[in-house]
Amino acid sequence: MSKLTDLDRVRLRWRGRRGMLENDLIITRYLDAYEAGLDDEDVAVLTQLFELSDNDLFDLLLARSEPEGDLDTPRMHKVLGLMRAL
């Protein structure tokens, strides 16, 4: 479990910026609350989420849909649960 460097944190926040304000707000709140404790697996999950379209990501964040296929992992469910609770 490696900790994020300051540069890693900046890059993660930059990659988390979305075209859809609602997604951006949820991601920012999550990073504000949990960034200090993120490990490599959390960053990998966030990277997968950031690769989704804004609408698909928004549906996951609002629990309109659930992760499927490669996204359906225990860690993904944990991260989404934390994001949804904010």
Side-chain angles (χ1 to χ4, degrees):
M1 175 168 133
S2 65
K3 292 291 183 180
L4 298 177
T5 66
D6 289 339
L7 181 58
D8 293 333
R9 291 176 204 284
V10 169
R11 286 181 177 158
L12 187 61
R13 282 187 178 269
W14 180 253
R15 288 179 33 224
R17 295 196 43 135
R18 307 301 300 196
M20 185 182 228
L21 177 62
E22 293 85 350
N23 286 342
D24 199 27
L25 293 172
I26 293 169
I27 291 167
T28 299
R29 278 192 219 139
Y30 174 80
L31 291 173
D32 288 346
Y34 299 105
E35 180 179 56
L38 295 179
D39 62 20
D40 292 340
E41 194 172 346
D42 294 320
V43 172
V45 165
L46 290 170
T47 298
Q48 287 180 300
L49 289 174
F50 296 163
E51 292 173 355
L52 297 173
S53 71
D54 280 335
N55 290 330
D56 290 341
L57 176 58
F58 193 56
D59 287 343
L60 283 173
L61 293 175
L62 293 185
R64 292 181 188 164
S65 66
E66 292 298 324
E68 297 177 349
D70 292 342
L71 298 179
D72 191 10
T73 65
R75 186 60 68 105
M76 178 65 73
H77 286 277
K78 176 186 171 199
V79 169
L80 282 173
L82 292 171
M83 287 180 155
R84 290 170 178 171
L86 295 173

Coordinates of all heavy atoms in Angstrom, one line a residue:
M1 N 0.8 -1.2 0.0 CA 0.0 0.0 0.0 C 0.9 1.2 0.0 O 1.5 1.6 1.0 CB -0.9 0.0 1.3 CG -1.7 1.2 1.4 SD -2.9 0.9 2.7 CE -2.8 2.3 3.7
S2 N 1.0 1.9 -1.1 CA 1.8 3.1 -1.2 C 0.9 4.3 -1.0 O -0.3 4.3 -1.4 CB 2.5 3.1 -2.5 OG 1.6 3.3 -3.6
K3 N 1.5 5.3 -0.5 CA 0.8 6.6 -0.3 C 1.0 7.5 -1.5 O 2.0 7.4 -2.2 CB 1.3 7.3 1.0 CG 0.9 6.6 2.3 CD -0.6 6.7 2.5 CE -0.9 6.0 3.8 NZ -2.3 6.1 4.1
L4 N 0.0 8.4 -1.7 CA 0.2 9.3 -2.9 C 1.1 10.4 -2.5 O 1.1 11.0 -1.4 CB -1.2 9.9 -3.2 CG -2.3 9.0 -3.6 CD1 -3.6 9.8 -3.8 CD2 -1.9 8.2 -4.9
T5 N 1.9 10.8 -3.5 CA 2.8 12.0 -3.4 C 1.9 13.2 -3.7 O 0.8 13.1 -4.2 CB 4.0 11.9 -4.3 OG1 3.5 12.0 -5.7 CG2 4.8 10.6 -4.2
D6 N 2.5 14.4 -3.4 CA 1.8 15.6 -3.7 C 1.5 15.7 -5.2 O 0.4 16.1 -5.6 CB 2.6 16.8 -3.2 CG 2.6 16.9 -1.7 OD1 1.7 16.4 -1.0 OD2 3.5 17.6 -1.2
L7 N 2.4 15.3 -6.0 CA 2.2 15.3 -7.4 C 1.1 14.3 -7.9 O 0.3 14.7 -8.7 CB 3.5 15.0 -8.2 CG 3.4 15.0 -9.7 CD1 3.0 16.4 -10.2 CD2 4.8 14.7 -10.3
D8 N 1.1 13.1 -7.3 CA 0.0 12.2 -7.5 C -1.3 12.7 -7.2 O -2.3 12.5 -7.9 CB 0.2 10.9 -6.7 CG 1.5 10.1 -7.1 OD1 1.9 10.2 -8.3 OD2 2.0 9.4 -6.3
R9 N -1.4 13.4 -6.1 CA -2.7 14.0 -5.7 C -3.2 15.1 -6.7 O -4.3 15.1 -7.0 CB -2.5 14.7 -4.3 CG -2.3 13.8 -3.2 CD -2.1 14.6 -1.9 NE -1.3 13.9 -0.9 CZ -1.8 12.9 -0.1 NH1 -3.1 12.5 -0.2 NH2 -1.1 12.3 0.8
V10 N -2.3 15.9 -7.1 CA -2.6 16.9 -8.1 C -3.1 16.3 -9.4 O -4.1 16.7 -10.0 CB -1.4 17.9 -8.4 CG1 -1.7 18.8 -9.6 CG2 -1.1 18.7 -7.1
R11 N -2.4 15.3 -9.8 CA -2.8 14.6 -11.1 C -4.1 13.9 -10.9 O -4.9 13.9 -11.8 CB -1.7 13.5 -11.4 CG -0.4 14.1 -12.0 CD 0.6 13.1 -12.3 NE 1.7 13.7 -12.9 CZ 2.9 13.1 -12.9 NH1 3.1 11.9 -12.4 NH2 3.9 13.7 -13.5
L12 N -4.4 13.3 -9.8 CA -5.6 12.6 -9.5 C -6.8 13.6 -9.6 O -7.8 13.3 -10.2 CB -5.6 11.8 -8.2 CG -6.8 10.9 -7.9 CD1 -6.9 9.8 -9.0 CD2 -6.6 10.3 -6.5
R13 N -6.6 14.7 -8.9 CA -7.7 15.7 -8.9 C -7.9 16.3 -10.3 O -9.0 16.5 -10.7 CB -7.3 16.9 -8.0 CG -7.6 16.5 -6.5 CD -7.4 17.7 -5.6 NE -7.7 17.3 -4.2 CZ -8.9 17.4 -3.7 NH1 -9.9 17.8 -4.4 NH2 -9.1 17.0 -2.4
W14 N -6.8 16.5 -11.1 CA -6.9 17.0 -12.4 C -7.7 16.0 -13.3 O -8.6 16.3 -14.1 CB -5.6 17.3 -13.0 CG -5.7 17.8 -14.4 CD1 -5.4 17.2 -15.6 CD2 -6.1 19.1 -14.8 NE1 -5.6 18.0 -16.7 CE2 -6.1 19.2 -16.2 CE3 -6.6 20.2 -14.1 CZ2 -6.5 20.3 -16.9 CZ3 -7.0 21.3 -14.8 CH2 -6.9 21.4 -16.2
R15 N -7.4 14.7 -13.2 CA -8.0 13.6 -14.0 C -9.5 13.5 -13.6 O -10.3 13.0 -14.3 CB -7.3 12.3 -13.8 CG -6.0 12.4 -14.6 CD -5.1 11.1 -14.5 NE -5.8 9.9 -14.5 CZ -5.5 8.9 -13.6 NH1 -4.5 9.0 -12.8 NH2 -6.2 7.8 -13.6
G16 N -9.8 13.8 -12.3 CA -11.2 13.7 -11.8 C -12.1 14.8 -12.3 O -13.3 14.8 -12.1
R17 N -11.5 15.9 -12.9 CA -12.3 17.0 -13.4 C -13.2 16.5 -14.5 O -12.7 15.9 -15.4 CB -11.5 18.1 -13.8 CG -10.7 18.7 -12.6 CD -10.2 20.0 -12.9 NE -11.1 20.9 -13.6 CZ -11.4 22.1 -13.3 NH1 -10.7 22.7 -12.3 NH2 -12.2 22.8 -13.9
R18 N -14.5 16.8 -14.4 CA -15.5 16.3 -15.4 C -16.1 17.5 -16.1 O -16.2 18.6 -15.6 CB -16.5 15.5 -14.7 CG -16.0 14.4 -13.8 CD -15.1 13.4 -14.6 NE -15.9 12.8 -15.6 CZ -15.6 11.7 -16.3 NH1 -14.5 11.1 -16.0 NH2 -16.3 11.2 -17.2
G19 N -16.7 17.2 -17.2 CA -17.5 18.2 -18.0 C -18.9 18.4 -17.3 O -19.5 19.4 -17.5
M20 N -19.3 17.4 -16.5 CA -20.6 17.5 -15.9 C -20.4 18.0 -14.4 O -19.7 17.3 -13.6 CB -21.3 16.2 -15.9 CG -22.7 16.1 -15.4 SD -23.3 14.4 -15.5 CE -24.8 14.7 -16.2
L21 N -20.9 19.1 -14.1 CA -20.7 19.7 -12.8 C -21.0 18.8 -11.6 O -20.3 18.7 -10.6 CB -21.4 21.0 -12.6 CG -21.3 21.7 -11.3 CD1 -19.9 22.1 -11.0 CD2 -22.2 23.0 -11.2
E22 N -22.1 18.1 -11.7 CA -22.6 17.2 -10.7 C -21.5 16.1 -10.4 O -21.2 15.8 -9.2 CB -23.9 16.5 -11.0 CG -25.1 17.5 -11.1 CD -25.2 18.2 -12.5 OE1 -24.3 18.1 -13.3 OE2 -26.2 18.8 -12.7
N23 N -21.0 15.5 -11.4 CA -19.9 14.5 -11.2 C -18.7 15.2 -10.5 O -18.1 14.6 -9.6 CB -19.5 13.9 -12.5 CG -20.5 12.9 -13.1 OD1 -21.3 12.4 -12.4 ND2 -20.4 12.7 -14.4
D24 N -18.3 16.4 -11.0 CA -17.2 17.1 -10.5 C -17.3 17.3 -9.0 O -16.4 17.1 -8.2 CB -17.0 18.4 -11.3 CG -15.6 19.0 -11.1 OD1 -14.6 18.2 -10.9 OD2 -15.5 20.2 -11.2
L25 N -18.5 17.7 -8.6 CA -18.8 18.0 -7.2 C -18.7 16.8 -6.3 O -18.1 16.8 -5.2 CB -20.2 18.7 -7.0 CG -20.3 20.1 -7.6 CD1 -21.8 20.5 -7.5 CD2 -19.4 21.0 -6.9
I26 N -19.2 15.7 -6.8 CA -19.2 14.4 -6.0 C -17.7 13.9 -5.9 O -17.3 13.5 -4.8 CB -20.1 13.3 -6.7 CG1 -21.5 13.8 -6.5 CG2 -19.8 12.0 -6.0 CD1 -22.5 12.9 -7.3
I27 N -17.0 13.9 -7.0 CA -15.6 13.5 -7.0 C -14.8 14.4 -6.1 O -13.9 13.9 -5.3 CB -15.0 13.5 -8.4 CG1 -15.7 12.3 -9.2 CG2 -13.5 13.3 -8.4 CD1 -15.5 12.4 -10.7
T28 N -15.0 15.7 -6.2 CA -14.2 16.6 -5.3 C -14.5 16.4 -3.8 O -13.6 16.3 -3.0 CB -14.5 18.1 -5.7 OG1 -14.1 18.3 -7.1 CG2 -13.8 19.1 -4.8
R29 N -15.7 16.2 -3.5 CA -16.1 15.9 -2.1 C -15.4 14.6 -1.6 O -14.9 14.5 -0.5 CB -17.6 15.7 -1.9 CG -18.3 17.1 -1.8 CD -19.7 16.9 -1.3 NE -20.5 17.8 -2.0 CZ -21.7 17.6 -2.5 NH1 -22.3 16.4 -2.4 NH2 -22.4 18.5 -3.2
Y30 N -15.4 13.6 -2.5 CA -14.8 12.3 -2.1 C -13.3 12.5 -1.9 O -12.8 12.0 -0.9 CB -15.0 11.3 -3.3 CG -14.3 10.0 -3.0 CD1 -14.8 9.0 -2.2 CD2 -13.1 9.7 -3.7 CE1 -14.1 7.8 -1.9 CE2 -12.4 8.6 -3.5 CZ -12.9 7.6 -2.6 OH -12.2 6.5 -2.4
L31 N -12.6 13.2 -2.8 CA -11.2 13.4 -2.7 C -10.9 14.3 -1.5 O -9.9 14.0 -0.8 CB -10.6 14.0 -4.0 CG -10.6 13.1 -5.2 CD1 -10.2 13.8 -6.4 CD2 -9.7 11.9 -4.9
D32 N -11.7 15.3 -1.2 CA -11.5 16.1 0.0 C -11.6 15.2 1.3 O -10.8 15.4 2.2 CB -12.5 17.2 0.1 CG -12.3 18.3 -0.9 OD1 -11.2 18.4 -1.5 OD2 -13.3 19.1 -1.1
A33 N -12.5 14.3 1.3 CA -12.7 13.4 2.5 C -11.7 12.3 2.6 O -11.3 11.9 3.7 CB -14.1 12.9 2.5
Y34 N -11.3 11.7 1.5 CA -10.6 10.4 1.6 C -9.2 10.4 0.9 O -8.5 9.4 1.0 CB -11.4 9.3 0.9 CG -12.7 9.1 1.7 CD1 -13.9 9.5 1.2 CD2 -12.7 8.5 2.9 CE1 -15.1 9.3 1.8 CE2 -13.9 8.3 3.6 CZ -15.1 8.7 3.1 OH -16.3 8.5 3.8
E35 N -8.8 11.5 0.3 CA -7.6 11.5 -0.5 C -6.3 11.0 0.3 O -5.5 10.3 -0.2 CB -7.4 12.9 -1.1 CG -6.1 13.1 -1.9 CD -6.0 14.5 -2.4 OE1 -6.0 15.4 -1.5 OE2 -5.9 14.7 -3.6
A36 N -6.2 11.5 1.5 CA -5.0 11.2 2.3 C -4.9 9.7 2.6 O -3.8 9.2 2.7 CB -5.1 11.9 3.7
G37 N -5.9 8.9 2.5 CA -5.9 7.5 2.8 C -5.9 6.6 1.6 O -6.0 5.4 1.7
L38 N -5.9 7.2 0.4 CA -6.1 6.4 -0.8 C -4.8 5.5 -1.0 O -3.7 6.0 -0.8 CB -6.3 7.2 -2.0 CG -7.6 8.0 -2.1 CD1 -7.6 8.9 -3.4 CD2 -8.8 7.1 -2.0
D39 N -5.0 4.3 -1.5 CA -3.9 3.4 -1.9 C -3.9 3.2 -3.4 O -4.8 3.7 -4.1 CB -3.9 2.1 -1.0 CG -5.1 1.3 -1.3 OD1 -5.8 1.4 -2.3 OD2 -5.3 0.4 -0.4
D40 N -3.0 2.4 -3.9 CA -2.9 2.1 -5.3 C -4.2 1.5 -5.9 O -4.6 1.8 -7.0 CB -1.7 1.2 -5.6 CG -0.4 1.9 -5.3 OD1 -0.3 3.1 -5.3 OD2 0.6 1.1 -5.2
E41 N -4.8 0.6 -5.1 CA -6.1 0.0 -5.6 C -7.2 1.0 -5.7 O -8.0 1.0 -6.6 CB -6.5 -1.2 -4.7 CG -7.5 -2.1 -5.3 CD -7.8 -3.3 -4.5 OE1 -7.0 -3.6 -3.6 OE2 -8.8 -4.0 -4.7
D42 N -7.3 1.9 -4.7 CA -8.3 3.0 -4.8 C -8.0 3.9 -6.0 O -9.0 4.2 -6.7 CB -8.2 3.9 -3.6 CG -8.6 3.1 -2.3 OD1 -9.6 2.3 -2.3 OD2 -8.0 3.4 -1.3
V43 N -6.8 4.2 -6.3 CA -6.5 5.0 -7.5 C -6.8 4.3 -8.8 O -7.3 4.9 -9.7 CB -5.0 5.4 -7.5 CG1 -4.6 6.1 -8.8 CG2 -4.7 6.3 -6.3
A44 N -6.6 3.0 -8.8 CA -7.0 2.2 -10.0 C -8.5 2.2 -10.2 O -8.9 2.3 -11.3 CB -6.5 0.7 -9.8
V45 N -9.2 2.1 -9.1 CA -10.7 2.2 -9.2 C -11.1 3.5 -9.7 O -12.0 3.7 -10.6 CB -11.4 1.8 -7.9 CG1 -12.8 2.2 -7.8 CG2 -11.2 0.3 -7.6
L46 N -10.6 4.6 -9.2 CA -10.9 5.9 -9.6 C -10.6 6.1 -11.1 O -11.3 6.7 -11.8 CB -10.2 7.0 -8.7 CG -10.7 7.1 -7.3 CD1 -9.8 8.0 -6.5 CD2 -12.1 7.6 -7.3
T47 N -9.4 5.6 -11.5 CA -9.0 5.7 -12.9 C -10.1 5.0 -13.8 O -10.4 5.6 -14.8 CB -7.6 5.1 -13.1 OG1 -6.7 5.8 -12.3 CG2 -7.2 5.1 -14.6
Q48 N -10.6 3.9 -13.4 CA -11.6 3.2 -14.2 C -12.9 4.1 -14.2 O -13.5 4.2 -15.3 CB -12.0 1.9 -13.5 CG -11.0 0.8 -13.7 CD -11.4 -0.5 -13.1 OE1 -11.6 -0.6 -11.9 NE2 -11.6 -1.5 -13.9
L49 N -13.2 4.7 -13.1 CA -14.4 5.6 -13.1 C -14.2 6.8 -14.0 O -15.1 7.2 -14.7 CB -14.7 6.0 -11.7 CG -15.3 4.9 -10.8 CD1 -15.4 5.5 -9.3 CD2 -16.6 4.4 -11.3
F50 N -13.0 7.4 -14.0 CA -12.7 8.6 -14.7 C -12.7 8.3 -16.3 O -12.9 9.2 -17.1 CB -11.4 9.2 -14.4 CG -11.3 9.7 -12.9 CD1 -10.1 9.9 -12.3 CD2 -12.5 9.9 -12.2 CE1 -10.0 10.4 -11.0 CE2 -12.4 10.4 -10.9 CZ -11.2 10.6 -10.3
E51 N -12.6 7.0 -16.6 CA -12.6 6.6 -18.1 C -14.0 6.5 -18.6 O -14.2 6.4 -19.8 CB -11.8 5.4 -18.3 CG -10.3 5.6 -18.0 CD -9.5 4.3 -18.1 OE1 -10.1 3.2 -18.2 OE2 -8.3 4.4 -18.0
L52 N -15.0 6.5 -17.7 CA -16.4 6.4 -18.2 C -16.9 7.7 -18.7 O -16.4 8.8 -18.4 CB -17.3 6.0 -17.0 CG -17.0 4.6 -16.3 CD1 -17.9 4.5 -15.1 CD2 -17.3 3.5 -17.3
S53 N -17.9 7.6 -19.5 CA -18.6 8.9 -20.0 C -19.2 9.5 -18.8 O -19.5 8.9 -17.8 CB -19.6 8.5 -21.0 OG -20.8 7.9 -20.4
D54 N -19.5 10.8 -18.9 CA -20.1 11.6 -17.8 C -21.5 11.0 -17.4 O -21.8 10.8 -16.2 CB -20.3 13.1 -18.2 CG -19.0 13.9 -18.0 OD1 -18.1 13.4 -17.2 OD2 -18.9 14.9 -18.7
N55 N -22.3 10.6 -18.4 CA -23.6 10.1 -18.1 C -23.5 8.7 -17.4 O -24.2 8.4 -16.4 CB -24.5 10.0 -19.3 CG -24.9 11.4 -19.8 OD1 -25.0 12.3 -19.0 ND2 -25.0 11.5 -21.1
D56 N -22.6 7.8 -17.8 CA -22.5 6.5 -17.2 C -21.9 6.7 -15.8 O -22.4 6.0 -14.9 CB -21.5 5.6 -18.0 CG -22.1 5.2 -19.3 OD1 -23.4 5.2 -19.5 OD2 -21.4 4.8 -20.2
L57 N -21.0 7.6 -15.6 CA -20.5 7.8 -14.3 C -21.5 8.4 -13.3 O -21.7 8.0 -12.2 CB -19.3 8.8 -14.3 CG -18.7 9.2 -13.0 CD1 -18.2 8.0 -12.2 CD2 -17.6 10.2 -13.2
F58 N -22.3 9.3 -13.8 CA -23.4 9.9 -13.1 C -24.4 8.9 -12.6 O -24.9 8.9 -11.5 CB -24.0 11.1 -13.8 CG -24.9 11.9 -13.0 CD1 -24.5 12.6 -11.9 CD2 -26.3 12.1 -13.4 CE1 -25.3 13.4 -11.2 CE2 -27.1 13.0 -12.7 CZ -26.6 13.6 -11.5
D59 N -24.8 8.0 -13.5 CA -25.7 6.9 -13.2 C -25.1 6.0 -12.1 O -25.9 5.6 -11.2 CB -26.0 6.1 -14.4 CG -26.9 6.8 -15.4 OD1 -27.6 7.8 -15.0 OD2 -27.0 6.3 -16.6
L60 N -23.9 5.7 -12.1 CA -23.2 4.9 -11.1 C -23.2 5.7 -9.7 O -23.5 5.1 -8.7 CB -21.8 4.5 -11.4 CG -21.6 3.4 -12.4 CD1 -20.2 3.3 -12.8 CD2 -22.2 2.1 -11.9
L61 N -22.9 7.0 -9.8 CA -22.8 7.7 -8.6 C -24.2 7.9 -7.9 O -24.2 8.0 -6.7 CB -22.2 9.1 -8.9 CG -20.7 9.1 -9.3 CD1 -20.2 10.5 -9.7 CD2 -19.8 8.5 -8.2
L62 N -25.2 8.0 -8.7 CA -26.6 8.1 -8.1 C -27.3 6.8 -7.9 O -28.4 6.8 -7.5 CB -27.4 9.0 -9.1 CG -27.0 10.5 -9.2 CD1 -28.0 11.2 -10.0 CD2 -26.9 11.1 -7.8
A63 N -26.6 5.7 -8.1 CA -27.1 4.4 -7.9 C -28.3 4.1 -8.9 O -29.1 3.3 -8.6 CB -27.5 4.1 -6.5
R64 N -28.3 4.7 -10.0 CA -29.2 4.4 -11.1 C -28.8 3.1 -11.8 O -29.6 2.5 -12.4 CB -29.3 5.5 -12.1 CG -29.9 6.8 -11.6 CD -29.9 7.8 -12.7 NE -30.4 9.1 -12.3 CZ -30.2 10.2 -12.9 NH1 -29.6 10.2 -14.1 NH2 -30.6 11.4 -12.5
S65 N -27.5 2.8 -11.7 CA -27.0 1.6 -12.3 C -25.9 1.1 -11.3 O -25.5 1.8 -10.4 CB -26.4 1.8 -13.7 OG -25.3 2.6 -13.6
E66 N -25.6 -0.2 -11.5 CA -24.5 -0.8 -10.7 C -23.4 -1.2 -11.6 O -23.6 -1.4 -12.8 CB -25.1 -2.0 -9.9 CG -26.1 -1.6 -8.8 CD -25.5 -0.8 -7.7 OE1 -24.3 -0.9 -7.4 OE2 -26.3 0.1 -7.2
P67 N -22.2 -1.3 -11.0 CA -21.0 -1.7 -11.8 C -21.2 -3.1 -12.4 O -21.7 -4.0 -11.8 CB -19.9 -1.7 -10.8 CG -20.3 -1.0 -9.6 CD -21.8 -1.1 -9.6
E68 N -20.8 -3.2 -13.7 CA -20.9 -4.5 -14.4 C -19.5 -4.8 -15.0 O -18.7 -4.0 -15.2 CB -21.9 -4.4 -15.5 CG -23.3 -4.1 -15.0 CD -24.3 -4.0 -16.2 OE1 -23.9 -3.9 -17.3 OE2 -25.5 -3.9 -15.9
G69 N -19.3 -6.1 -15.3 CA -18.1 -6.6 -15.9 C -16.9 -6.3 -15.1 O -16.8 -6.6 -13.9
D70 N -15.9 -5.7 -15.7 CA -14.6 -5.4 -15.0 C -14.8 -4.4 -13.9 O -13.9 -4.4 -13.0 CB -13.6 -4.8 -16.0 CG -13.1 -5.8 -17.0 OD1 -13.3 -7.0 -16.8 OD2 -12.6 -5.4 -18.1
L71 N -15.8 -3.7 -13.9 CA -16.1 -2.7 -12.8 C -16.7 -3.3 -11.6 O -16.7 -2.7 -10.5 CB -17.0 -1.6 -13.3 CG -16.4 -0.7 -14.4 CD1 -17.5 0.4 -14.8 CD2 -15.1 0.0 -14.1
D72 N -17.2 -4.5 -11.7 CA -17.9 -5.2 -10.6 C -16.9 -5.9 -9.7 O -16.8 -7.1 -9.7 CB -18.9 -6.2 -11.2 CG -19.9 -6.7 -10.1 OD1 -19.9 -6.2 -9.0 OD2 -20.6 -7.6 -10.4
T73 N -16.3 -5.1 -8.8 CA -15.3 -5.6 -7.8 C -15.7 -5.1 -6.4 O -16.3 -4.0 -6.3 CB -13.9 -5.1 -8.2 OG1 -13.8 -3.7 -8.0 CG2 -13.5 -5.5 -9.6
P74 N -15.2 -5.8 -5.4 CA -15.5 -5.3 -4.1 C -15.0 -3.9 -3.8 O -15.7 -3.0 -3.2 CB -14.8 -6.3 -3.2 CG -14.8 -7.6 -4.0 CD -14.6 -7.1 -5.4
R75 N -13.8 -3.6 -4.3 CA -13.2 -2.2 -4.1 C -14.0 -1.2 -4.8 O -14.3 -0.1 -4.3 CB -11.8 -2.2 -4.5 CG -11.0 -0.9 -4.2 CD -11.0 -0.5 -2.7 NE -10.1 -1.4 -2.0 CZ -8.9 -1.2 -1.5 NH1 -8.4 0.0 -1.7 NH2 -8.3 -2.1 -0.9
M76 N -14.5 -1.5 -6.0 CA -15.4 -0.5 -6.7 C -16.6 -0.2 -5.9 O -17.0 0.9 -5.8 CB -15.7 -1.1 -8.1 CG -16.6 -0.2 -8.9 SD -15.9 1.4 -9.4 CE -14.7 0.9 -10.7
H77 N -17.2 -1.3 -5.4 CA -18.5 -1.1 -4.6 C -18.2 -0.2 -3.4 O -19.0 0.6 -3.0 CB -19.1 -2.4 -4.2 CG -19.8 -3.1 -5.4 ND1 -21.0 -2.8 -5.8 CD2 -19.3 -4.0 -6.3 CE1 -21.4 -3.5 -6.8 NE2 -20.3 -4.3 -7.1
K78 N -17.0 -0.5 -2.8 CA -16.6 0.3 -1.6 C -16.5 1.8 -1.9 O -17.0 2.7 -1.2 CB -15.3 -0.2 -1.0 CG -14.8 0.6 0.2 CD -13.5 0.1 0.6 CE -12.9 1.1 1.7 NZ -11.5 1.1 1.8
V79 N -15.7 2.1 -3.0 CA -15.5 3.5 -3.4 C -16.8 4.1 -3.8 O -17.1 5.3 -3.4 CB -14.5 3.6 -4.5 CG1 -14.4 5.0 -5.2 CG2 -13.1 3.1 -4.0
L80 N -17.6 3.4 -4.6 CA -18.9 4.0 -5.0 C -19.8 4.2 -3.7 O -20.5 5.3 -3.6 CB -19.6 3.1 -5.9 CG -19.1 3.2 -7.4 CD1 -19.8 2.1 -8.2 CD2 -19.3 4.5 -8.0
G81 N -19.8 3.3 -2.8 CA -20.6 3.5 -1.6 C -20.2 4.7 -0.8 O -21.0 5.5 -0.3
L82 N -18.9 5.0 -0.7 CA -18.4 6.2 0.0 C -18.8 7.5 -0.8 O -19.2 8.4 -0.2 CB -16.9 6.1 0.1 CG -16.4 5.1 1.1 CD1 -14.8 4.9 1.0 CD2 -16.8 5.3 2.5
M83 N -18.7 7.4 -2.1 CA -19.1 8.6 -2.9 C -20.5 8.8 -2.8 O -21.0 10.0 -2.7 CB -18.7 8.3 -4.4 CG -17.2 8.4 -4.7 SD -16.9 8.1 -6.5 CE -15.4 9.0 -6.7
R84 N -21.4 7.8 -2.8 CA -22.8 7.9 -2.8 C -23.2 8.5 -1.4 O -24.3 9.2 -1.3 CB -23.5 6.6 -3.0 CG -23.4 6.1 -4.4 CD -23.8 4.7 -4.6 NE -23.8 4.3 -6.0 CZ -24.0 3.0 -6.4 NH1 -24.3 2.1 -5.5 NH2 -23.9 2.7 -7.6
A85 N -22.5 8.2 -0.4 CA -22.8 8.7 1.0 C -22.5 10.1 1.2 O -23.0 10.7 2.2 CB -22.1 7.8 2.0
L86 N -21.8 10.7 0.4 CA -21.4 12.1 0.6 C -22.5 13.1 0.2 O -23.1 13.4 -0.6 CB -20.1 12.5 -0.2 CG -18.9 11.7 0.4 CD1 -17.7 12.0 -0.5 CD2 -18.5 12.2 1.8

